[in-house]
Amino acid sequence: MKKIEKSLSEFLIEDFKDTSTKLESTDKKVQFIVQIYTALVTVIISSSFYFLVK
């Protein structure tokens, strides 16, 4: 029984490491997309103000 518990805990630890790595890479992709979206919205708002003031 101890062997099964040990192998299960090792499996869960490895699974957690894999999941953590995947979440880190996904988080970086999401941050990049949000930065591009924010920059695009900023450009659109700035150009709108420029044309309204002109």
Side-chain angles (χ1 to χ4, degrees):
M1 192 70 171
K2 293 276 185 186
K3 186 177 181 182
I4 293 174
E5 290 175 2
K6 185 175 180 182
S7 64
L8 179 61
S9 64
E10 288 175 354
F11 170 76
L12 292 175
I13 289 171
E14 288 300 317
D15 185 54
F16 178 76
K17 288 179 184 177
D18 291 343
T19 304
S20 177
T21 303
K22 289 176 186 176
L23 287 175
E24 285 177 6
S25 64
T26 304
D27 186 43
K28 290 177 185 175
K29 291 177 186 175
V30 169
Q31 286 179 355
F32 180 70
I33 291 171
V34 168
Q35 288 174 346
I36 289 177
Y37 179 75
T38 303
L40 183 63
V41 169
T42 303
V43 167
I44 291 171
I45 290 172
S46 298
S47 61
S48 297
F49 284 140
Y50 175 76
F51 286 115
L52 287 175
V53 172
K54 189 177 179 183

